[in-house]
């Protein structure tokens, strides 16, 4: 059983944060952690989720800037006849 499953530093990347979060979830689900360590792991997990959400928001903003007005909702499999009428 790990002594200190919770890291204190900020993750270097989205992928590193996701990997650490997955490890915390596995440890918590396995019941490997005592109560105090579980609370610390939960807090760290919440920090990692916020970090990941911020990274995704940042990338989303960058994509919107790069794509500009070209972003369109995805078609759900229908023929999109209403969209065709707008183009004519």
């Amino acid at each position: 059983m790990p002594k200190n499953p919770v890291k204190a530093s900020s993750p270097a990347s989205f992928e590193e944060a996701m990997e650490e979060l997955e490890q915390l979830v596995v440890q918590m689900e396995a019941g490997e952690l005592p109560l105090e360590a579980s609370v610390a792991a939960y807090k760290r997990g919440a920090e990692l989720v916020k970090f990941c959400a911020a990274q995704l928001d940042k990338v989303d903003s960058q994509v919107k800037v790069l794509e500009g007005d070209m972003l369109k909702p995805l078609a759900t499999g229908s023929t999109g006849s209403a969209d065709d009428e707008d183009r004519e």
Side-chain angles (χ1 to χ4, degrees), residues 53-70:
Q55 294 298 310
L56 291 173
D57 286 342
K58 190 185 312 180
V59 170
D60 185 51
S61 296
Q62 291 173 347
V63 168
K64 286 179 181 175
V65 167
L66 292 172
E67 295 293 326
D69 293 332
M70 294 175 55

Side-chain angles (χ1 to χ4, degrees), residues 18-31 33 41 45 49:
M18 287 298 295
E19 184 178 327
E20 184 181 348
L21 187 57
E22 288 174 11
Q23 291 171 358
L24 288 173
V25 168
V26 167
Q27 290 175 345
M28 292 176 73
E29 286 180 342
L33 304 175
V49 167

Side-chain angles (χ1 to χ4, degrees), residues 7-13 16-17 20 44 47-48 51:
K7 296 180 183 177
S9 63
S10 294
S13 66
E16 184 180 300
E20 184 181 348
R44 177 63 176 169
E47 292 170 1
L48 292 169
F51 175 85

